[in-house]
Amino acid sequence: MNYLKKYVISAFVLVSFQVCFAQNLVSVNDTTKLINDQFSNDYKLVWQDNFDGRTLDLKNNWKIDVDGNGGGNKELQYYRKRNIRVGKEPVSGENCLIITAKKENYLSKQFTSGRLSTQDKISFKYGKIEARIKFPTIGNGIWPAFWMLGKGYPKLNWPKCGEIDILEMGNAKSIKKGVQDKYYSAACHWGESWNMGRYPHFGKASISSYSLVGDFHLFTLIWDENIVKMYLDLDKYPDTLPYFSLSIAGEDKPENAAHYYNNQFFILFNMAIGGNFTGILNPEDITALTNGEAKMYVDYVRIYQKGSSNEEFTGLKLESNFNFIGNNN
């Protein structure tokens, strides 16, 4: 869900692999407990937002984006502050971050939605990050995402900053197949410049055996100096295989992924409307909001690390007993 994916989005998010430049790809063959899986014993919680308060923590954790520039992807929404709030998810009663997409005229746009990030507040290198999310029905034109950008952005232009898309839904291929509620994808983008779309990237899409809307699902990134991996519902299926895996081992040279993914990244959540990823560029073709608003609920987002010397964290950190201990760089 990057700022400058431009015209290659629909092409790369196919079930087939896409890679530019030679890279070694690795084949893919309640609320405070750690996931009981093969990784958990080594990880300790270093930061979390459970969205338990009445308002979003804009001082320590979050920055809300306000713009209608289309994200470099020809998106059709205007991002507004009022489309982001903290409140109850009506079925579970969980307190959540709520991102609302609406069909409404605002400035030059016919739709509004929300995007927020931890830019300049929370960033990290290596560890495990997870978010428990409930998506709306993925009608034609809805594009929700949970992703990360390199801390160097925007001083380092995209894709030089690096990007990790942990979860995206609403791709044009899912619309064509009629599997919007089960089709999900992940990707990494990197390189010295946009280069007319000929920058190195790798994307992979999957079709779940069960619906990913109507209830909460856990999305997890495991990241170290050698590999980036993503998992679906590790809390329910601890032996599940990753749905995305990319080797980032190698020398720190511009031609290698290692040059871009051994740095700190910050977190983003958003719900775009239309754009290249969805294959819908005409506002009249957006049907997802015909019958009302669409809401994306985030129950929590958490960062875990092992305490290794090569890990980094910037922001207001937590001890294992969840007490604030100050700014850690």
Side-chain angles (χ1 to χ4, degrees), residues 113-142:
S113 189
R115 180 176 67 202
L116 72 167
S117 75
T118 64
Q119 186 178 10
D120 301 324
K121 299 178 188 291
I122 301 293
S123 60
F124 71 106
K125 182 179 83 170
Y126 306 152
K128 176 170 71 172
I129 180 172
E130 62 184 19
R132 186 172 182 256
I133 308 172
K134 179 179 178 179
F135 296 108
T137 298
I138 310 296
N140 294 1
I142 292 285

Side-chain angles (χ1 to χ4, degrees), residues 294-312:
K295 296 182 185 296
M296 171 179 169
Y297 297 92
V298 182
D299 183 19
Y300 59 77
V301 55
R302 296 173 182 161
I303 297 171
Y304 304 83
Q305 291 183 321
K306 297 180 178 180
S308 302
S309 60
N310 62 352
E311 294 174 335
E312 296 177 9

Side-chain angles (χ1 to χ4, degrees), residues 215-274:
D215 200 357
F216 285 97
H217 293 277
L218 189 72
F219 297 91
T220 303
L221 164 73
I222 303 289
W223 171 32
D224 62 26
E225 66 273 21
N226 295 310
I227 198 164
V228 172
K229 296 185 287 186
M230 286 83 144
Y231 296 83
L232 170 64
D233 285 335
L234 270 178
D235 53 340
K236 299 175 186 143
Y237 309 107
D239 295 324
T240 191
L241 294 174
Y243 60 81
F244 178 96
S245 185
L246 171 70
S247 171
I248 58 170
E251 294 184 63
D252 185 5
K253 301 190 296 185
E255 60 266 31
N256 292 337
H259 182 67
Y260 308 90
Y261 292 108
N262 290 297
N263 302 294
Q264 292 191 40
F265 278 64
F266 62 89
I267 307 162
L268 301 98
F269 291 102
N270 71 290
M271 188 156 54
I273 309 298

Side-chain angles (χ1 to χ4, degrees), residues 24-265:
N24 294 321
L25 299 181
V26 178
S27 61
V28 172
N29 239 352
D30 133 273
T31 68
T32 58
K33 68 172 186 168
L34 297 176
I35 296 173
N36 183 22
D37 64 76
Q38 59 182 317
F39 309 105
S40 292
N41 292 335
D42 294 332
Y43 285 103
K44 305 217 180 297
L45 184 68
V46 297
W47 178 85
Q48 66 177 348
D49 197 332
N50 293 319
F51 306 108
D52 286 337
R54 294 185 177 182
T55 60
L56 198 64
D57 187 347
L58 297 177
K59 178 181 178 182
N60 299 307
N61 293 344
W62 300 101
K63 168 188 173 184
I64 298 177
D65 293 334
V66 177
D67 67 62
N69 63 22
N73 308 301
K74 296 187 177 180
E75 298 160 23
L76 302 177
Q77 80 290 323
Y78 200 103
Y79 287 128
R80 303 182 68 185
K81 285 186 177 181
R82 65 184 296 177
N83 291 60
I84 292 178
R85 66 183 179 90
V86 170
K88 297 286 186 184
E89 192 281 314
V91 177
S92 66
E94 296 284 357
N95 231 52
C96 296
L97 164 69
I98 305 172
I99 301 176
T100 302
K102 303 178 183 181
K103 181 175 175 57
E104 63 175 349
N105 293 321
Y106 184 74
L107 297 181
S108 61
K109 304 292 184 177
Q110 297 181 36
F111 306 94
T112 63
S113 189
R115 180 176 67 202
L116 72 167
S117 75
T118 64
Q119 186 178 10
D120 301 324
K121 299 178 188 291
I122 301 293
S123 60
F124 71 106
K125 182 179 83 170
Y126 306 152
K128 176 170 71 172
I129 180 172
E130 62 184 19
R132 186 172 182 256
I133 308 172
K134 179 179 178 179
F135 296 108
T137 298
I138 310 296
N140 294 1
I142 292 285
W143 178 7
F146 165 37
W147 53 301
M148 303 199 303
L149 280 173
K151 184 181 178 181
Y153 182 87
K155 184 177 180 180
L156 290 178
N157 290 330
W158 189 93
K160 193 171 184 177
C161 62
E163 177 178 338
I164 302 173
D165 297 327
I166 302 170
L167 182 280
E168 296 180 283
M169 296 186 72
N171 180 255
K173 192 175 179 96
S174 72
I175 296 172
K176 184 177 181 180
K177 290 177 172 288
V179 290
Q180 293 100 310
D181 291 355
K182 296 182 179 180
Y183 189 104
Y184 63 107
S185 57
C188 285
H189 305 264
W190 66 96
E192 290 300 285
S193 69
W194 158 248
N195 194 25
M196 299 302 294
R198 295 187 297 272
Y199 63 92
H201 57 273
F202 169 53
K204 188 175 187 300
S206 304
I207 299 177
S208 173
S209 61
Y210 51 89
S211 176
L212 298 180
V213 306
D215 200 357
F216 285 97
H217 293 277
L218 189 72
F219 297 91
T220 303
L221 164 73
I222 303 289
W223 171 32
D224 62 26
E225 66 273 21
N226 295 310
I227 198 164
V228 172
K229 296 185 287 186
M230 286 83 144
Y231 296 83
L232 170 64
D233 285 335
L234 270 178
D235 53 340
K236 299 175 186 143
Y237 309 107
D239 295 324
T240 191
L241 294 174
Y243 60 81
F244 178 96
S245 185
L246 171 70
S247 171
I248 58 170
E251 294 184 63
D252 185 5
K253 301 190 296 185
E255 60 266 31
N256 292 337
H259 182 67
Y260 308 90
Y261 292 108
N262 290 297
N263 302 294
Q264 292 191 40
F265 278 64

